[in-house]
Amino acid sequence: MTDRRGFYDQHAPTRARELARGYHRLLRKYYQFLVPPGQRVLELGCGLGDLLAAVQPAQGVGVDFSAAMLELARARHPTLRFTLAEASEFRTEERFDYVLLSDLINDVPDVQALLESVQHHVFQHSRLVLNFTNNLWRPLLALSQKLGLRSPKLPQNWLSLADVRNLLHLTGWEIIKTETRI
């Protein structure tokens, strides 16, 4: 756990440059399409908070376990609220219309525990919006990292769409829509 936190704290200063790249711009646009403005939105694993800010929430709460990331997020997005916590351990009495998990399930040690914990933060009508890296990209991403074209990453969970569907089912989520878009 400490190694993960230290890794992200160390890479916080270069994260803004990474978020300016095409993949993250595309994610922000797609999430803007999926999440209407003016909603109550929780983003777990929010990093610098750019995705949360992009969906223009009426109430936006970002949670991350990296204090360095959150320090930068607060400076970048002063109208949003940020909390330091491990995503699966975060608790609040607040409920949200949308919960965002962008590239988080690839990175957490226990995906099922995370998906179960999200249930504490939602209404019956709430939506969970998540994206994760397809295993087919694994060789290309590893090569691009070795060539210095991609920022370093910690070892990832390489889950298939079937794996994620099963985990969502086990944790009480109803799947409304899936896409293999990006």
Side-chain angles (χ1 to χ4, degrees), residues 157-175:
N157 296 319
W158 290 98
L159 301 171
S160 69
L161 180 56
D163 294 333
V164 175
R165 283 181 185 200
N166 286 334
L167 285 165
L168 288 166
H169 174 75
L170 287 171
T171 55
W173 290 97
E174 176 188 4
I175 298 172

Side-chain angles (χ1 to χ4, degrees), residues 1 4-5 44 63 65 83-92 109 113-114 117-118 120-121:
M1 201 73 66
R4 288 176 54 237
R5 185 172 291 119
L44 299 172
V63 175
F65 74 154
T83 301
L84 181 66
E86 182 73 42
S88 60
E89 296 170 4
F90 173 71
R91 291 289 182 269
T92 182
L114 172 66
S117 75
V118 172
H120 299 281
H121 309 295

Side-chain angles (χ1 to χ4, degrees), residues 90-121:
F90 173 71
R91 291 289 182 269
T92 182
E93 294 303 314
E94 294 175 274
R95 299 292 177 257
F96 299 90
D97 302 308
Y98 286 83
V99 177
L100 312 181
L101 305 176
S102 181
D103 288 320
L104 184 62
I105 64 170
N106 297 99
D107 201 39
V108 295
D110 189 342
V111 177
Q112 185 171 348
L114 172 66
L115 294 173
E116 287 171 349
S117 75
V118 172
Q119 293 285 2
H120 299 281
H121 309 295

Side-chain angles (χ1 to χ4, degrees), residues 7-8 11-28 48 50 69 76 103 149-153:
F7 176 86
Y8 284 102
H11 287 91
T14 61
R15 185 72 174 144
R17 187 173 55 238
E18 189 178 322
L19 293 176
R21 294 180 184 158
Y23 169 72
H24 292 284
R25 285 195 316 266
L26 186 58
L27 274 181
R28 286 190 296 274
L48 299 183
D50 289 7
M69 289 282 188
R76 290 167 75 91
D103 288 320
L149 302 172
R150 179 178 187 232
S151 299
K153 300 286 182 214

